Structure formats: C-alpha cells, structure tokens
C-alpha cells in the first residue's frame, strides 16, 4: 500500500519552518532582534500593506524568528497556520476577538485554567460576550447550553486540575452540528500526545510557556488554525465572511478560504491588539520544541512512576490522572491519548488544608510555583494560589478541594522525585 | 463574489475588488479537488496590477453550487459558456493541473474565446495512481494525504512559506479535506481518462507553460511532451518547486504570470 511520505513528528520538531538562514547560512534559527524590514520599492511596500504579496513589515505583525516557531507549531499540530502571541492568555484573547463580537456567547468547560475562567467569566462580559460553563464530560450539557448567539465551544484537552479528558470528537460533532467551531486549549497535551485537529477541533491554542518551551524561561502563546471549518457556511462569523474595510473591503473567507482565520488573526488581531511574541522568546521556545518528543516521552514515564508511588502511600487519599484505572476518563484516555495522558496530576492529602500546607513547605526538589510543564518538577496547592479568585461555590464546581495538591512531573531521575515526595508526605502527617 | 449562471450560483474571487470589466479579464482555473483559494497568492496582486482576475470555483467545488462535471470536455464547455455569458471573451485563461487540461480544451474547441493560455502543472496525459484513485473513490482521507505528499517539492515539506505563519502542507491537505464527498474522485477520474489527442496542435493563441523541477504529479518530462505539440510556447522552469507552484513559489509565479499576461 502506498503511504504519504510526510516527514515524521520528531523530524518536524527539529526542522519545520526553517531553512539555513539565506544570508549567513546559520543552521540554528537566528534571533532577528529587529522591528522593521526594508521595502524594495514603493510598489512592493504598497503590495505588502495591501496583502497582495507576503513578507515582513513590522515585528508586531510578523517577525522572521517568530515565523519559524509559528510554522513549526502549525506543522506539529497539522494546522494550516499559526499565530504566536506574547502569552497563552494573549492567544486565547486573540482567538476570541477574531471570531466574536459583542452580543456573542461562548460555551466553555468549567474545568479550565483559572486565568481563562476569569477572562470568560469576568472580563469578556464587559465587552458584551457572555459564557455558560458546563461539565466537560456532560455532552448533553454542551448541547443544551448552545444558543443562537453561541460562536464557539471551548475546553482544555486535559482539564485543570481534575485532568478531565475532553472527548474531542464528540464535542466537535456537537459544535459542528450547530455550525460553530470547537476551540481547545491543548497546553497539557502538546501535539506530541494529542492532535486535536485530526480529532475534529478547529482551533488549538497553547500556553507555549509550558511543555512546548519546557524550560520555564519564556512566556508565549499560539493559536493554530485547523483550516477545516467553513466560516462562510452561515452568517455567524462576519469578521471572516464579510468585507472588512481594514484592507479595502477584503473578505477573508473568499480570498483565503481555509486559511481565513490565520490571516485575519494576524492582519487585524496582531496589528490592533499588538500582543506579539518577542523574537527572543520565540528563539528560546524553539529550543524547547526541538526536543519536545524526547521530553514528553520522559515526562510520561516519570509520571507513571510517581503515580505508582503515590497510590501506595498512606498519606495520599486519592490520585487523579487518566492513567489511573479508577479515573473516570481512563478508557477515553486510552483511545485519545495513546502516548500517555500528560505529566500533570492531582492528589488528595490526608489531613486536608493544614497537611497540604506542610507538604508544600517540606518539598525540597520540587518547586512551589504557579506554573506547570517545566522540565523541573513543580507543586502547587490551587485553593490558595491559581484558583484563589474563585468563590467557594465556583471552587467546588471546578473540582478543587482544599486537600488537592497539583503536581507537574519533571524530567529529574524518578527516584529523586519520589524520595522528595515521600519525605514531604511524611512531614505533612506530623501535625 | 457570487454570479448566477445557468440558474446556479458560481463563486468567484476577484482579488478583493469589484470586477472591473474595463480591465483585461483573467480566468483562473483550479486543479482536482481544490478551489479558487489556490490562487490566493496571485489574485489580489493581479487586481492591483491592471487586470480583472476571476478565480472561479468550478461547479460543486468551494462555494459554487451545481453538480460535478464528469469529464474535462464537460468542464471546458461549462467554462466556455461562463466566459460567454459574462461577456469576457476573448479571455486570458490560466489553469493549474486539472485546470490546465480544461484550459487546453477550451482554447482548442473555442479559439475565439481564448486570447492567451497560461498553464501550470500541465501535461498531455494525467494518469492517476490506482491506489490514489481507489482511496478517492472510497472518500478516504488517504486521498488528500497522498495528493498533498506528492504535490509539494521537498522544500515545501519542510519550510519556505513566504506568508508568515502559514504551513503549506496542511494548507493543501485541509483544502482537499474540505471538498465534498466524491469531488476528488470525480476530478481525478476526469484527469485519468482524459485523452489530449492533437489538442496542442489545435491551439492558436499564445501559450506560456510553467513547470516545477520537483513536480511529481505532472513531472517535467510529461510537461515536455505536451509542450512539444505547441507551435509556439514560452516555457519557464522553476527550480526546487513541486506541483503546487503558485503556493510554493508565489513570488516567482506572480512575476511570471504578470509577464505572460502582458
Ligand atoms: C492550561 C493553560 N492555559 C493557558 C494558560 C495561560 O498561559 P500564559 O501563562 O502563557 O499566559 C495557562 C497558564 O498557566 C494554562 O495552564
């Protein structure tokens, strides 16, 4: 049987989007620490500004180093294009602002990152965009929350912090039956563990800050455009399907069809909101992406070792990760996440809030930070940090109990991680 | 823009400007399973450089209504009828891949309709790999995958998209995946069974042909066989470029297109 001779994932992680630098021959991606690009002549300048021809104008809109990362991430996700942003939150905002306007509505999973929850729950309403939050496992809830004003369904591929596995094909089907797209935040899975576009998602966003970068030294975000959704099939997406005065009446879906979202997000969103990624950050994040497959394999292996340890520890009352057979999404994870369900897990500590505090203060190797997806092992007690803005009621709805510890398993030797956790768990029980 | 033709709506991209019938019209025809957007790197440019481009979605493709046309001959008659109804003749006709076969047939059958012919990814015969044809007939995703893999030169499989942030390979694949069921099969079958005969010898207008050195779908040898039949032709070779040359080398194609059209 013939097969498409595509370059494979590990190869694309190293090569996609880059050729040796045309002027210097540099093999590594150079940092174009530059803001602006000389025009050949006035005609070319006019052509660039009018989207008649492609090229760089000004680094708020595009930059040669950032463009390598964009093309690489689009390649790894199997998307038609990508737009990088200053942070994951900027990517989320850019996607929302590109496809929606005042009067529109979102249906979102209630088990999402606290920052994303804040944006939808508190900030977007000021701009006339309302959100209904649903239990991501409840397909009927998704369906019945959709109104004529709904423009997107949004969830994380792995929820936060209960590690709910999103049934991407099922939720995508619900979205598509209403003529709207599914957007997923795939930060916790990265394209190595799941390719949401192949499963039916239309827009993928990442906090590139996390596993994609892997080193915890640079912020970044990205939206990847799946290119399979037809924005012109109904009248719900006028930013993409109707003429836009910003570029002499361009209609993005007519001109660019399957690439309409990528083109508008850059031409309008980066131009006007300006949350561009810096070239230095793109460079740092590219170093991480080059080793993504190697690191994710190790993250998953280490996570399995840590789970085995936690499950047999007396101070641990429960462990939540899709690899655990009691996890409600254990089977779903096996079909959607064959390479593993990521390196973030939560567990309950006997003794509740007080024991949690003692545990956090006793770890030595694991770092107490408000971050995940670092090469180093990280711990946090969400009720007192990431989720502290949420009301008690929202906390319970988001599945964050007071005894919940979230662990982002790093790349250290697993026996060292386990020794550190064992010591801190012992300390936590000496109240 | 949407244009009514034979009681159905035909979708045409005009480069973001209203169609100006005072300017020389250029009709651009896409290849198998694709749509107008394969010309997205050229239409806006032409529209602002003295031409009236019309990148058309063939019936049943992109956003055009209508039944699929089963043969290259039927597609050519549809195009000729459309040009006549729009009052655009004589027209400059630009065709890619299946669109190049359609263009050839229009020019041979209706010499008065076509003023100039520009062909990309062209050949006198386009036999389709039987496994690709089979996958297309079964509407399997393998068909877009194989077409995408074969349609790009080695450079496009890695990098080199001049439009910041766009990834060419998935762009092609998404475009093909968006085709309605049976569209790809219809088109590939039409290409597969097309027999050019003496079509090249019957062409009276001026002909330009652009060929990619890494084109696996219509390899340079196959293009050369077609080209040998023309009495007069301008042949341009593009190095390191595959079948999707308008996307793979948009800057070069824009320039060559402008030269050939002028
Ligand atoms: C799942 C998820 N999405 C989005 C974000 C926001 O990303 P950033 O911090 O890069 O803005 C985070 C950050 O913690 C996250 O964990």
């Amino acid at each position: 049987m013939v097969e498409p001779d595509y370059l494979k994932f590990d190869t694309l992680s190293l090569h996609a989007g880059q050729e040796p630098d045309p002027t210097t021959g540099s093999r590594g991606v150079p940092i174009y620490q530059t803001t602006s690009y000389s025009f050949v002549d006035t005609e070319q300048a006019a052509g660039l500004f009018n989207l008649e021809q492609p090229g760089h104008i000004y680094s708020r809109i595009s930059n040669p180093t950032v463009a390598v990362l964009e093309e690489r991430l689009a390649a790894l996700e199997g998307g038609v294009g990508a737009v990088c942003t200053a942070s994951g939150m900027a990517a989320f905002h850019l996607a929302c602002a590109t496809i929606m306007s005042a009067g529109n509505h979102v249906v979102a999973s209630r088990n999402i990152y606290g920052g994303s929850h804040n944006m939808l729950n508190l900030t977007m309403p000021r701009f006339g965009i309302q959100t209904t939050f649903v239990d991501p496992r409840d397909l009927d809830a998704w369906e019945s929350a959709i109104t004529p004003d709904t423009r997107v369904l949004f969830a994380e591929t792995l929820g936060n912090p209960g590690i709910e596995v999103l049934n991407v094909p099922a939720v995508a089907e619900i979205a598509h039956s209403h003529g709207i797209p599914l957007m997923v935040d795939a930060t916790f899975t990265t394209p190595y563990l799941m390719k949401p576009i192949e499963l039916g998602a239309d827009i993928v966003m990442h906090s590139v800050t996390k596993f994609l970068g892997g080193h915890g030294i640079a912020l970044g975000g990205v939206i990847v455009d799946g290119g399979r959704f037809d924005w012109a099939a109904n009248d719900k997406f006028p930013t993409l399907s109707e003429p836009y005065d910003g570029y002499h009446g361009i209609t993005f879906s007519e001109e660019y069809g399957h690439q309409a979202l990528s083109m508008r997000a850059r031409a309008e969103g980066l131009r006007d909101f300006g949350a561009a990624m810096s070239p230095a950050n793109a460079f740092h994040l590219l170093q991480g992406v080059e080793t993504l497959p190697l690191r994710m394999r190790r993250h998953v292996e280490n996570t399995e070792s840590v789970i085995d340890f936690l499950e047999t520890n007396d101070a641990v009352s429960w462990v939540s990760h899709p690899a655990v057979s009691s996890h409600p999404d254990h089977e779903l994870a096996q079909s959607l996440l064959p390479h593993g369900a990521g390196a973030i897990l939560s567990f309950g500590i006997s003794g509740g809030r007080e024991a949690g505090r003692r545990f956090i203060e006793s770890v030595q190797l694991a770092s107490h930070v408000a971050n995940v997806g670092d090469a180093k092992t990280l711990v946090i007690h969400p009720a007192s940090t990431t989720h502290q803005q949420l009301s008690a009621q929202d906390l319970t709805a988001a599945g964050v109990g007071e005894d919940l510890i979230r662990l982002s398993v790093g790349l250290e030797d697993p026996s060292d991680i386990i020794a550190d956790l064992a010591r801190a768990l012992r300390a936590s029980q000496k109240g | 823009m949407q244009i009514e033709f034979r009681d159905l709506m035909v979708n045409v991209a005009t480069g973001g400007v209203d169609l100006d019938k005072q300017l020389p019209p250029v009709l651009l025809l896409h290849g198998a399973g694709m749509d107008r957007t394969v010309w997205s790197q050229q239409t806006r440019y032409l529209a602002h450089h003295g031409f009236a481009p019309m990148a058309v979605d063939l019936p049943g493709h992109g956003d055009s209504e209508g039944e699929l046309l089963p043969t290259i001959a039927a597609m050519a008659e549809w195009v000729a009828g459309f040009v006549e109804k729009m009052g655009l003749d004589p027209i400059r006709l630009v065709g890619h891949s299946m669109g190049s076969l359609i263009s050839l047939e229009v020019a041979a059958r209706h010499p008065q309709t076509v003023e100039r012919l520009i062909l990309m990814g062209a050949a006198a015969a386009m036999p389709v790999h039987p496994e690709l044809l089979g996958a297309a007939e079964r509407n399997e995703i393998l068909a877009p995958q194989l077409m995408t893999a074969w349609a790009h030169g080695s450079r496009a499989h890695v990098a080199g998209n001049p439009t910041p942030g766009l990834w060419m390979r998935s762009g092609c694949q998404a475009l093909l995946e968006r085709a309605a069921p049976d569209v790809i099969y219809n088109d590939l079958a039409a290409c597969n069974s097309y027999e050019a005969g003496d079509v090249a010898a019957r062409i009276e207008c001026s002909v330009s042909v652009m060929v990619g050195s890494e084109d696996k779908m219509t390899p340079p040898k196959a293009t050369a066989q077609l080209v040998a039949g023309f009495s007069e032709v301008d042949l341009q070779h593009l190095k390191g470029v595959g079948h999707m040359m308008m996307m793979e080398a948009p800057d070069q194609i824009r320039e060559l297109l402008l030269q050939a059209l002028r």
Side-chain angles (χ1 to χ4, degrees):
Chain A
M1 201 190 96
V2 284
E3 282 186 23
D5 48 354
Y6 288 163
L7 296 174
K8 312 296 182 298
F9 190 92
D10 291 23
T11 309
L12 291 173
S13 301
L14 285 157
H15 290 274
Q18 195 224 357
E19 304 167 286
D21 186 60
T23 38
T24 62
S26 301
R27 181 59 275 205
V29 180
I31 308 177
Y32 280 90
Q33 191 64 53
T34 48
T35 58
S36 36
Y37 306 89
S38 298
F39 303 122
V40 177
D41 52 31
T42 49
E43 195 198 276
Q44 187 230 11
L48 286 169
F49 275 101
N50 194 29
L51 301 181
E52 289 166 36
Q53 55 194 96
H56 302 291
I57 298 174
Y58 184 64
S59 286
R60 175 162 22 86
I61 299 166
S62 69
N63 167 281
T65 307
V66 180
V68 174
L69 179 60
E70 290 169 332
E71 211 174 327
R72 190 163 302 178
L73 293 176
L76 294 177
E77 288 287 5
V80 301
V83 181
C84 279
T85 53
S87 68
M89 287 311 301
F92 187 33
H93 176 263
L94 177 63
C96 290
T98 301
I99 61 172
M100 288 189 284
S101 301
N104 289 163
H105 173 254
V106 179
V107 181
S109 158
R110 67 187 187 197
N111 304 110
I112 54 176
Y113 168 60
S116 306
H117 190 277
N118 285 338
M119 186 180 109
L120 291 175
N121 192 41
L122 303 175
T123 312
M124 292 308 255
R126 289 204 290 113
F127 300 92
I129 295 172
Q130 306 295 333
T131 296
T132 303
F133 292 96
V134 298
D135 172 356
R137 291 190 180 113
D138 185 347
L139 297 178
D140 293 338
W142 285 105
E143 176 85 46
S144 55
I146 295 171
T147 76
D149 295 326
T150 308
R151 292 295 176 270
V152 67
L153 306 189
F154 174 72
E156 293 175 2
T157 52
L158 290 177
N160 196 348
I163 325 298
E164 300 80 6
V165 179
L166 185 70
N167 191 337
V168 177
V171 180
E173 199 180 316
I174 294 170
H176 297 161
S177 72
H178 290 268
I180 55 176
L182 169 65
M183 169 156 74
V184 297
D185 178 336
T187 300
F188 282 15
T189 41
T190 80
Y192 179 76
L193 296 177
M194 183 196 271
K195 298 257 195 50
I197 293 167
E198 285 177 7
L199 296 175
D202 304 291
I203 308 171
V204 178
M205 63 147 283
H206 289 275
S207 169
V208 186
T209 318
K210 307 295 180 322
F211 293 101
L212 285 167
H215 32 43
I217 61 170
L219 282 179
V222 68
I223 58 175
V224 183
D225 176 0
R228 275 71 167 179
F229 188 78
D230 186 356
W231 303 102
N234 54 45
D235 58 4
K236 289 176 191 276
F237 302 98
T239 55
L240 297 170
S241 65
E242 287 180 14
Y244 173 50
D245 285 341
Y247 291 91
H248 300 119
I250 193 171
T251 300
F252 282 90
S253 64
E254 179 174 305
E255 294 280 320
Y256 301 110
H258 52 294
Q259 291 157 339
L261 174 70
S262 313
M263 295 301 288
R264 174 107 186 193
R266 183 180 307 281
E268 177 198 46
L270 286 187
R271 186 196 63 187
D272 297 357
F273 306 125
M277 177 181 279
S278 85
N281 276 14
F283 172 82
H284 289 305
L285 295 166
L286 274 163
Q287 309 316 306
V289 173
E290 295 201 344
T291 57
L292 177 72
L294 295 175
R295 289 185 292 106
M296 291 312 289
R297 290 196 271 270
R298 172 72 177 234
H299 273 297
V300 167
E301 277 168 29
N302 279 4
T303 303
E304 284 164 4
S305 305
V306 167
I307 289 171
D308 287 346
F309 160 74
L310 290 174
E311 284 199 306
T312 55
N313 190 286
D314 289 342
V316 173
S317 42
W318 52 267
V319 181
S320 178
H321 185 275
V324 176
S325 58
S326 61
H327 190 276
D329 301 321
H330 182 64
E331 273 179 32
L332 185 62
Q334 287 181 323
S335 73
L336 297 186
L337 295 157
H339 299 300
I344 296 165
L345 60 92
S346 52
F347 64 90
I349 192 158
S350 311
R353 177 179 283 268
E354 207 24 52
R357 188 187 60 76
R358 282 196 296 271
F359 171 82
I360 292 284
E361 286 175 1
S362 307
V363 288
Q364 290 170 358
L365 186 66
S367 314
H368 181 208
V369 300
N371 194 18
V372 292
D374 197 307
K376 303 178 181 76
T377 295
L378 314 176
V379 285
I380 201 155
H381 187 214
S384 58
T385 50
T386 48
H387 286 60
Q388 55 110 356
Q389 268 108 330
L390 304 193
S391 69
Q393 195 186 355
D394 285 345
L395 261 187
T396 320
V400 184
E402 292 197 323
D403 64 339
L404 185 147
I405 304 280
R406 188 185 66 193
L407 195 58
S408 174
V409 180
L411 304 176
E412 299 93 343
D413 188 294
S415 63
D416 290 335
I417 302 174
I418 288 168
D420 189 42
L421 297 176
R423 183 172 47 241
L425 282 167
R426 267 197 308 278
S428 76
Q429 302 303 303
K430 292 183 186 149
Chain B
M1 76 189 271
Q2 295 263 323
I3 296 168
E4 198 178 323
F5 174 55
R6 295 181 183 162
D7 297 330
L8 293 167
M9 297 313 280
V10 177
N11 190 55
V12 177
T14 54
V17 299
D18 292 338
L19 190 64
D20 182 351
K21 290 200 177 171
Q22 302 306 310
L23 295 174
V26 182
L27 194 71
L28 301 110
L29 298 173
H30 60 78
M34 302 197 168
D35 70 17
R36 68 192 181 283
T37 59
V38 299
W39 302 108
S40 61
Q41 292 291 333
Q42 283 81 33
T43 43
R44 275 179 89 71
Y45 185 75
L46 293 179
H48 291 91
H49 285 79
F51 292 92
M54 299 200 304
V56 67
D57 285 342
L58 290 168
H61 295 69
D63 291 332
S64 282
E65 296 177 341
E67 298 280 311
L68 295 169
L69 300 164
T71 61
I72 299 298
M75 296 177 199
E77 290 307 327
W78 183 90
V79 169
F82 180 72
V83 171
E84 191 190 338
K85 127 104 197 193
M86 294 289 291
L88 298 170
D89 41 328
I91 197 163
R92 291 162 166 82
L93 207 49
V94 184
H96 173 246
S97 199
M98 179 181 82
S100 75
L101 299 182
I102 303 171
S103 306
L104 275 170
E105 277 298 311
V106 177
R109 289 161 179 250
H110 304 275
Q112 71 292 350
T113 302
V114 184
E115 182 183 324
R116 221 169 265 209
L117 204 53
I118 299 169
L119 308 175
M120 303 181 200
M126 289 193 191
V128 178
H129 193 293
E131 290 198 46
L132 169 55
L133 206 55
E137 188 170 16
R138 296 185 297 274
N139 285 302
E140 288 172 1
I141 197 160
L142 179 64
Q145 287 172 342
L146 289 176
M147 289 170 81
T148 303
W150 294 336
H152 293 88
S154 50
R155 178 171 180 242
H157 273 271
V158 181
N161 197 332
T163 306
L166 294 190
W167 169 243
M168 216 176 300
R169 197 188 79 192
S170 296
C172 179
Q173 193 174 314
L175 174 60
L176 290 165
E177 280 182 33
R178 283 165 66 121
D182 302 333
V183 169
I184 298 178
Y185 177 66
N186 175 81
D187 293 358
L188 292 180
C191 291
N192 195 43
S193 60
Y194 176 71
E195 282 174 24
D198 64 345
V199 70
R202 282 154 52 212
I203 306 289
E204 293 169 12
C205 65
S206 85
V207 184
S208 305
V209 177
M210 291 153 210
V211 56
S213 68
E214 294 191 17
D215 189 335
K216 291 188 200 138
M217 309 279 270
T218 49
K221 263 191 194 161
T223 305
Q225 281 164 9
L226 170 69
V227 164
F230 294 121
S231 53
E232 208 186 316
V233 58
D234 172 49
L235 180 64
Q236 298 284 346
H237 288 274
L238 288 93
K239 259 190 81 179
V241 173
H243 192 60
M244 295 304 296
M245 56 195 82
M246 316 84 81
M247 292 298 203
E248 292 178 65
D251 296 330
Q252 260 175 297
I253 291 291
R254 250 193 311 276
E255 293 235 329
L256 290 173
L257 198 50
L258 208 56
Q259 279 168 24
L261 287 169
R262 274 179 178 154

